[in-house]
Every structure is written in C-alpha cells, then in structure tokens.
Amino acid sequence: MQEINLLQNKVKDRTLQFERSNRLVMVFFSLLLLLEIGAVAGLFFLIKSTDAKTQDVIKANLQTQAEMNTNQKDLVKAQGFQAQLKNVRSLIDNHIYWSAFLDQLAKITPTKVQFRTVTGSVADNKLHVEGVAQSYQDVGRVLLSLETSDKFKQVKLRSVNPSQDSAFGYSFALEITVSPDIFIKTQ
C-alpha cells in the first residue's frame, strides 16, 4: 500500500522558530529586568547618598547654631562692655575740670581775700561766689581783677556785709558768668 499523507506539506514544523522567538522575548525581558534592577539599585544608593549628605548638613547646621548660641552670650557681654565704654567716653568728654577754674581764680585773687563757697551751674556758666576780705578796697580789687580777666564776664556784686568772723572784716557775694573754656583741661 501506498502511504497517503493526510497532513500535506503545508504544515511545517514551527517549534524551532517558536523557541527562537521565545528566546528573543526572554532575553529582552531579562535585559529589561536587569535594567530595572540596576535603576532601583542606583536610586537606592542615590537616596542613601542624599540622606547622608542631608545628615551632614543638619549636623553642620546644629554645630553652627551651637556656636552662634555661645557667641550670642559673648555678644551680650560685648554689647554691655560697649555701652560701658560709651558711658565712660561720655563722662570723659563732658568732664568738668574745676582745677583749671580754681587755678585761674587763684591767679587773679588778691592775697587778703578768701573765697568761702562757689556754687552754680556749668550749664549756664553762672556761678555764685561768697568770700571775705579785710577791707572794701580788697573787695573792689577782687571785682576789678575778675572783670579784667578774659575768663570771667559780667561780674556783679550782690552784697557786702561786715563779717561775723574776727579774722576778716567784710563778707561779700558775687555773681559771675564764666567762659566755658575755663572748665576744659588744657594740655
């Protein structure tokens, strides 16, 4: 008998081609899977690196903040010292040197005259001076010497009375306007 081929030649064996296509798809998906695993691993390390850098920045920030806090205490002390220095500078700049005034007064005062009190205000440069002298002539000499001095102006005699003191004869009271530069220290 003769063999009859019922399948005909149209049907071919495609198992080999199917296996090749499967391999190609498997290789493609395997590469895709490896690429995804690599991307996930890269992102993981990138996140870890970023977290480490963030922690370093936070530590540096905390350290800087701590230094600022310690410096803040020093800043408060420095501001206090600066205010004290400003006050001292103000006191020195506005210091009144009575010694220059008293030296000038001593230079022009006659020998038979004593000053007992000097009161007044440097703000308006007016002083009230009380003293004692042996005679009316000595009181006149005091007035003349004060009036002719360039440091004293507007010398006014307010009163002259017999002294209660036995050593001198007459007590007197003067009102004097002084030049403001008399209270400045000369070097």
Side-chain angles (χ1 to χ4, degrees):
M1 194 155 214
Q2 202 182 13
E3 278 188 41
I4 301 176
N5 188 0
L6 295 174
L7 292 176
Q8 299 179 355
N9 285 339
K10 291 183 178 177
V11 178
K12 292 185 179 176
D13 189 19
R14 295 185 179 236
T15 58
L16 189 57
Q17 187 179 5
F18 180 72
E19 282 180 14
R20 282 186 192 161
S21 343
N22 272 347
R23 279 187 212 154
L24 186 62
V25 168
M26 290 301 286
V27 166
F28 177 72
F29 282 121
S30 295
L31 287 176
L32 189 60
L33 180 66
L34 286 176
L35 185 62
E36 284 181 25
I37 290 172
V40 167
L43 284 175
F44 177 76
F45 288 121
L46 184 63
I47 289 171
K48 280 288 198 182
S49 171
T50 304
D51 285 343
K53 288 179 183 177
T54 303
Q55 291 300 322
D56 290 343
V57 168
I58 289 172
K59 285 179 185 176
N61 189 14
L62 290 175
Q63 185 179 13
T64 303
Q65 190 66 37
E67 288 175 7
M68 286 174 54
N69 289 341
T70 58
N71 289 339
Q72 191 69 23
K73 294 174 188 173
D74 293 339
L75 178 64
V76 170
K77 288 179 185 177
Q79 287 173 336
F81 288 136
Q82 189 175 23
Q84 288 176 354
L85 181 62
K86 187 176 181 181
N87 288 340
V88 168
R89 175 60 52 203
S90 175
L91 288 173
I92 289 173
D93 289 343
N94 297 323
H95 181 72
I96 298 170
Y97 293 93
W98 285 99
S99 59
F101 166 76
L102 294 174
D103 287 343
Q104 184 67 27
L105 196 59
K107 285 180 190 175
I108 62 171
T109 303
T111 57
K112 296 179 182 180
V113 175
Q114 284 183 349
F115 291 110
R116 300 273 171 117
T117 61
V118 177
T119 58
S121 171
V122 178
D124 62 356
N125 297 321
K126 292 192 184 231
L127 298 176
H128 179 78
V129 179
E130 294 179 5
V132 289
Q134 284 186 349
S135 66
Y136 282 119
Q137 290 83 8
D138 291 332
V139 174
R141 286 186 193 110
V142 169
L143 289 170
L144 182 63
S145 63
L146 288 171
E147 192 64 49
T148 56
S149 173
D150 61 339
K151 301 292 183 182
F152 303 100
K153 303 170 192 158
Q154 299 175 356
V155 180
K156 295 177 184 172
L157 180 63
R158 291 295 175 198
S159 68
V160 176
N161 298 317
S163 177
Q164 302 300 325
D165 197 6
S166 63
F168 288 103
Y170 300 96
S171 64
F172 62 90
L174 303 172
E175 198 169 295
I176 305 169
T177 302
V178 296
S179 176
D181 63 343
I182 198 168
F183 298 109
I184 298 172
K185 183 177 183 178
T186 57
Q187 302 205 7

